[in-house]
Amino acid sequence: MTTKLLLFGLLLNLLIVKDALSVGVCYGQLGDNLPSPRDVVSLYQRTGITKMRIYDPNQPTLEALRGTNIELMIGVPNDALQSLNDQNAANTWVRNNIQRYSNVRFRYIAVGNEVDPNNGNSQYVRFVLPALQNIFNAVRNAGLGNQIKVSTATYSGLLGNSFPPSAGAFRDNVRGFIEPIVRFLAQNNQPMLANIYPYFSDPGRNLPYALFTASQPVVNDNGRQYSNLFDAILDAHYAAQGRLGGQNVEIVVSESGWPSSGGSVATVGNAGTYVRNLIAHVGGNAGTPLKPGRSIETYLFAMFDENRKGGNEEERHFGLFSPSQQAKYGQINFN
């Protein structure tokens, strides 16, 4: 019995270490002169990246992923949400983009990205939950419910309060949109996806706090000590969804990154520091002050600089690699 328990303990440790080492990278394609999807998949494999997020069912990318061990988060674009309010259309979407690629390792479907009553995506608000429910039903009816989780990708702009983290709460005019989603995820044991960016939370006020380099805790939240801004933002999301019945809904960080140009603290040095420290932090078992003792499943944004992205200049400089596949920050250990 002692030997069996020892072997079980060793196996459990191996599983924990394997899970702790898992960091994905988002593959956006809004750039000129980017490598072909097949070359991108090869780059993931050469650099040891085992998880990918894409933002739409790009067929060449799905073809390139066939037979690989790369786990995939696939997105439903916001402009497709309305059509998926029909169950038959959702069934067809799953059949064409998931079941058709039986040798692709699908892990998540992100139904919409950063839909918000207060931003340029507000016209999609009423379509998210029905599309989410229909895609969930289609995945379950296809017999894939144990393999693929279905959610939507939120972001910190939905929060009306995030300080201290325990006071995290959604904006008043967001609650009617997000509460039914949180409750649906809780009822069906699905995770929440959240894009977490310390860079967009005024990091210049305390750069070490944003870059995971603070020498001591910066925030004391009723005894919970925060030494980095990433944990504080993530726990504010947990607190916000907890107020709406989502206390046990796990959050997967579906994007996080730092730009290398386009702003006063957007430098190659700061971006490299953030990326390396984020990988080390989420890959360990420290967790956050609110959710300790666990790794944090996280997807880095992004694989490449994307010069055709809109918004401020910094939006076009989040890439880990140049279009010529040169590593911007030197060798990074994603495992």
Side-chain angles (χ1 to χ4, degrees), residues 160-285:
N161 189 41
S162 60
F163 184 84
S166 63
F170 292 107
R171 296 180 187 273
D172 290 342
N173 71 331
V174 168
R175 181 166 176 162
F177 158 63
I178 201 67
E179 183 170 3
I181 292 174
V182 170
R183 293 192 180 278
F184 175 80
L185 298 177
Q187 290 164 4
N188 292 283
N189 193 31
Q190 304 295 294
M192 179 67 83
L193 308 176
N195 302 336
I196 305 292
Y197 284 95
Y199 177 80
F200 292 118
S201 298
D202 193 16
R205 289 186 303 172
N206 191 332
L207 192 59
Y209 185 49
L211 294 176
F212 299 91
T213 58
S215 60
Q216 59 188 11
V218 175
V219 172
N220 182 338
D221 183 4
N222 295 319
R224 295 192 183 103
Q225 304 285 335
Y226 288 86
S227 59
N228 69 79
L229 184 54
F230 176 88
D231 282 355
I233 298 172
L234 182 53
D235 278 355
H237 274 263
Y238 271 117
Q241 68 183 32
R243 299 179 193 283
L244 306 181
Q247 301 93 318
N248 297 319
V249 174
E250 180 187 2
I251 294 177
V252 174
V253 178
S254 43
E255 289 182 13
S256 191
W258 195 285
S260 60
S261 183
S264 61
V265 295
T267 67
V268 170
N270 286 342
T273 296
Y274 181 81
V275 167
R276 286 190 172 84
N277 289 341
L278 176 67
I279 291 172
H281 178 66
V282 302
N285 290 312

Side-chain angles (χ1 to χ4, degrees), residues 20-313:
L21 297 177
S22 183
V23 176
V25 179
C26 302
Y27 171 29
Q29 300 184 36
L30 296 178
D32 296 321
N33 303 314
L34 295 183
S36 70
R38 197 161 297 279
D39 287 341
V40 171
V41 169
S42 294
L43 181 59
Y44 272 71
Q45 293 173 313
R46 290 198 309 274
T47 53
I49 304 170
T50 60
K51 295 181 180 180
M52 175 189 290
R53 179 185 179 186
I54 60 175
Y55 293 86
D56 61 79
N58 179 268
Q59 303 302 307
T61 302
L62 294 174
E63 290 289 346
L65 286 166
R66 286 186 184 274
T68 71
N69 289 322
I70 296 172
E71 294 183 343
L72 184 65
M73 178 189 295
I74 185 172
V76 174
N78 292 342
D79 59 10
L81 295 173
Q82 183 175 2
S83 66
L84 298 179
N85 278 217
D86 176 76
Q87 185 64 63
N88 289 330
N91 295 342
T92 299
W93 193 96
V94 169
R95 184 167 56 250
N96 290 344
N97 301 307
I98 305 294
Q99 292 173 275
R100 179 181 172 189
Y101 299 94
S102 59
N103 57 346
V104 172
R105 297 187 64 189
F106 294 99
R107 182 175 176 88
Y108 299 109
I109 301 175
V111 182
N113 184 60
E114 296 188 354
V115 176
D116 180 350
N118 301 301
N119 71 10
N121 294 323
S122 60
Q123 69 267 35
Y124 303 116
V125 163
R126 64 191 179 99
F127 304 127
V128 176
L129 181 59
L132 177 62
Q133 293 169 325
N134 289 343
I135 291 291
F136 174 81
N137 291 335
V139 167
R140 185 179 56 185
N141 292 338
L144 298 171
N146 291 330
Q147 173 190 338
I148 302 171
K149 299 291 187 180
V150 182
S151 188
T152 188
T154 61
Y155 78 124
S156 302
L158 298 180
L159 299 180
N161 189 41
S162 60
F163 184 84
S166 63
F170 292 107
R171 296 180 187 273
D172 290 342
N173 71 331
V174 168
R175 181 166 176 162
F177 158 63
I178 201 67
E179 183 170 3
I181 292 174
V182 170
R183 293 192 180 278
F184 175 80
L185 298 177
Q187 290 164 4
N188 292 283
N189 193 31
Q190 304 295 294
M192 179 67 83
L193 308 176
N195 302 336
I196 305 292
Y197 284 95
Y199 177 80
F200 292 118
S201 298
D202 193 16
R205 289 186 303 172
N206 191 332
L207 192 59
Y209 185 49
L211 294 176
F212 299 91
T213 58
S215 60
Q216 59 188 11
V218 175
V219 172
N220 182 338
D221 183 4
N222 295 319
R224 295 192 183 103
Q225 304 285 335
Y226 288 86
S227 59
N228 69 79
L229 184 54
F230 176 88
D231 282 355
I233 298 172
L234 182 53
D235 278 355
H237 274 263
Y238 271 117
Q241 68 183 32
R243 299 179 193 283
L244 306 181
Q247 301 93 318
N248 297 319
V249 174
E250 180 187 2
I251 294 177
V252 174
V253 178
S254 43
E255 289 182 13
S256 191
W258 195 285
S260 60
S261 183
S264 61
V265 295
T267 67
V268 170
N270 286 342
T273 296
Y274 181 81
V275 167
R276 286 190 172 84
N277 289 341
L278 176 67
I279 291 172
H281 178 66
V282 302
N285 290 312
T288 71
L290 182 61
K291 302 282 186 177
R294 62 176 73 183
S295 58
I296 304 167
E297 187 170 3
T298 299
Y299 289 75
L300 285 163
F301 188 86
M303 199 65 173
F304 302 103
D305 286 345
E306 297 175 76
N307 65 305
R308 289 192 282 110
K309 286 198 71 174
N312 296 330
E313 179 63 24

Side-chain angles (χ1 to χ4, degrees), residues 1-15:
M1 176 63 75
T2 302
T3 302
K4 288 181 179 179
L5 288 173
L6 178 61
L7 289 173
F8 176 76
L10 290 172
L11 176 61
L12 183 61
N13 285 334
L14 285 172
L15 290 172

